[in-house]
Amino acid sequence: MNVGITVNGEQHEHDVEPRTLLVHYLREQLGLTGTNVGCDTTSCGACTVHLDGESVKSCTVLAAQADGCEVTTIEGLAAGPQLHPMQLAFREHHGLQCGFCTPGMVMAAVSLLREHPAPTEDEVRHGLEGNLCRCTGYHNIVKAILAASGQGTPA
Ligand code: FES
Ligand code: FES
């Protein structure tokens, strides 16, 4: 079936199998491999992207469901060479180690701040419940998100 999806501001038309998952479409058809697959079972959040501005796990969305929609992936977050403030905050506060969860974590964090521009630490932790990280213990991720929200960071 034919799907038309705007990804990172660019319109794409492709013939896809009806069962194609959005994450596989992004990675395999468009070569946008920043969106990772960690579990394929809606558990880890490594595949998080924005679909019409909402954070979604792209392993649970069919490419066909995104027909006519706008998708933003981690590759589309920066403005050219200028990193997004959330990416800068993750870098500054060491919110990553191996980096596998990071694209999904950053996309979820951007969406979290859109909904809650000044979250508490608890709200950040709660907002990240769908995104797993095996490396960092989350502390620096939470710090980065609070810093990106313009609030002081916990010790
Ligand atoms: S790969 Fe989508 S939630 Fe883990
Ligand atoms: S930085 Fe390794 S899984 Fe999060």
Side-chain angles (χ1 to χ4, degrees):
M1 63 184 297
N2 199 59
V3 294
I5 308 177
T6 302
V7 181
N8 300 332
E10 255 183 58
Q11 172 70 18
H12 297 272
E13 300 273 340
H14 284 105
D15 198 24
V16 300
E17 293 272 328
R19 62 180 178 181
T20 304
L21 294 172
L22 180 59
V23 67
H24 292 144
Y25 173 78
L26 294 170
R27 289 178 59 86
E28 288 154 28
Q29 200 100 37
L30 302 188
L32 296 172
T33 53
T35 303
N36 286 324
V37 181
C39 68
D40 244 345
T41 55
T42 330
S43 309
C44 74
C47 63
T48 304
V49 300
H50 296 170
L51 180 64
D52 283 344
E54 300 278 325
S55 174
V56 296
K57 292 180 176 177
S58 59
C59 74
T60 65
V61 177
L62 295 169
Q65 291 174 293
D67 187 33
C69 297
E70 299 216 7
V71 172
T72 306
T73 69
I74 191 70
E75 289 90 346
L77 208 55
Q82 181 58 46
L83 290 179
H84 186 279
M86 188 63 75
Q87 292 172 308
L88 291 171
F90 267 65
R91 184 171 73 182
E92 187 175 338
H93 296 277
H94 309 289
L96 63 144
Q97 286 180 28
C98 80
F100 188 82
C101 71
T102 311
M105 215 40 109
V106 167
M107 296 309 283
V110 168
S111 179
L112 175 69
L113 289 197
R114 271 194 203 135
E115 282 169 33
H116 302 284
T120 63
E121 183 178 345
D122 277 354
E123 283 170 337
V124 171
R125 288 184 184 276
H126 181 68
L128 294 183
E129 274 173 1
N131 291 73
L132 304 181
C133 176
R134 292 181 177 204
C135 307
T136 64
Y138 301 96
H139 187 65
N140 286 354
I141 292 175
V142 173
K143 252 167 108 170
I145 296 170
L146 288 173
S149 76
Q151 301 181 91
T153 57

